[in-house]
Amino acid sequence: MGITKSDQFTDHQNKMANILKALAHPARIAIVEYLLSVDSCICGDIVNELPLAQPTVSQHLKELKNAGIIKGTIEGKGICYCVNDDIITEIMSYFNTINKQLNFKKCC
Amino acid sequence: MGITKSDQFTDHQNKMANILKALAHPARIAIVEYLLSVDSCICGDIVNELPLAQPTVSQHLKELKNAGIIKGTIEGKGICYCVNDDIITEIMSYFNTINKQLNFKKCC
DNA sequence: ATTTATTATCGTAATATTGCAATGTGAAAA
DNA sequence: TTTTCACATTGCAATATTACGATAATAAAT
């Protein structure tokens, strides 16, 4: 059907799935990596860095914002973007938990 | 179009996107968490643990296997599953790199 | 006020994903 | 060898995603 049965899973499972989904596209990975590649806010020029049309980039930025992965601040004519470190910490702590549980498994 | 322009991005960006895509669904998150919840291999009964029909679960398991996130070993009549720790390590190291880069940014 | 630059939104086409009933497959048990 | 059990595959319907042209919206610059 293309429709996910979200109500059958826990809030946390849905939350993690949504966060990871926001990053589950090479363009959005590229955006995050580009934002990190410069030692300050990126204002404008994200569109020029990506091999995609402006509306497409705008859509990807919107998804990243909705998932809380990046923040955008209006700066005069354009917008300054940066990665939200809180959510990166949250992702790391999730995989850290997974990793800890893995260490206790003697398996396969 | 629904088609990703994968050839426009680096191999590593595509690889990370694919790994995260495999986890970007609550059912697949639930499968991984269930596999970790027991201190040994899970043989059988994954279908009974999930609120989805057997073909749907089978499909999700296939995607997790293709992305290298779980491994399945044929065990007589059924199959034993477990999480592949190598890929978890890979994910963690990716987000660790991101996090390190974030620490050098004074931003927004 | 008009122009210019930057980002957002709308509409739409192409493709992907999700979910399941029906059916197939392969191995053990009877 | 027939049945049974566990899982895979096929086929299909419903919905989601990706991408972009066209067009709007907003704010600075002229």
Side-chain angles (χ1 to χ4, degrees):
Chain A
M1 298 159 185
I3 189 167
T4 297
K5 286 181 142 189
S6 308
D7 53 322
Q8 302 284 334
F9 300 98
T10 70
D11 286 349
H12 189 253
Q13 284 165 345
N14 283 306
K15 185 182 180 183
M16 288 313 303
N18 278 325
I19 291 173
L20 296 178
K21 185 157 70 175
L23 289 170
H25 190 285
R28 296 194 290 269
I29 290 278
I31 289 171
V32 169
E33 291 180 353
Y34 177 57
L35 290 181
L36 291 167
S37 73
V38 177
D39 196 20
S40 63
C41 276
I42 305 292
C43 301
D45 76 346
I46 293 184
V47 170
N48 305 320
E49 281 295 318
L50 290 182
L52 297 170
Q54 180 267 325
T56 308
V57 175
S58 188
Q59 204 172 277
H60 283 306
L61 287 168
K62 189 181 181 184
E63 286 176 61
L64 286 170
K65 259 186 290 184
N66 287 341
I69 291 169
I70 63 173
K71 291 178 286 191
T73 320
I74 296 168
E75 184 88 3
K77 208 180 334 196
I79 296 183
C80 276
Y81 287 106
C82 63
V83 177
N84 176 12
D85 42 358
D86 288 344
I87 219 160
I88 300 298
T89 304
E90 200 170 339
I91 297 172
M92 283 178 66
S93 96
Y94 182 69
F95 283 105
N96 262 308
T97 308
I98 287 181
N99 199 51
K100 270 178 206 154
Q101 288 181 277
L102 264 175
N103 291 336
F104 288 104
K105 297 199 62 164
K106 49 219 170 261
C107 178
C108 297
Chain B
M1 298 156 186
I3 188 167
T4 297
K5 286 180 141 189
S6 308
D7 53 322
Q8 302 284 336
F9 301 97
T10 68
D11 286 350
H12 189 253
Q13 285 166 344
N14 283 306
K15 185 182 181 185
M16 287 313 303
N18 278 325
I19 291 173
L20 296 178
K21 187 157 70 174
L23 290 170
H25 191 286
R28 296 194 289 270
I29 289 278
I31 289 172
V32 168
E33 290 181 354
Y34 177 57
L35 290 181
L36 291 167
S37 72
V38 177
D39 197 22
S40 62
C41 276
I42 305 290
C43 301
D45 75 348
I46 294 186
V47 171
N48 305 320
E49 283 293 319
L50 289 183
L52 297 170
Q54 180 266 323
T56 308
V57 176
S58 188
Q59 202 171 278
H60 284 306
L61 287 168
K62 190 182 182 182
E63 285 174 62
L64 286 169
K65 258 186 290 183
N66 286 342
I69 291 170
I70 63 173
K71 290 178 285 190
T73 321
I74 296 167
E75 185 86 2
K77 208 183 325 195
I79 297 185
C80 278
Y81 287 106
C82 63
V83 177
N84 176 15
D85 43 358
D86 288 342
I87 218 159
I88 301 297
T89 304
E90 200 169 340
I91 296 172
M92 284 178 65
S93 95
Y94 182 69
F95 283 104
N96 262 307
T97 307
I98 287 181
N99 199 52
K100 269 179 208 154
Q101 289 182 275
L102 264 175
N103 291 337
F104 288 105
K105 296 200 63 164
K106 54 233 165 250
C107 179
C108 297

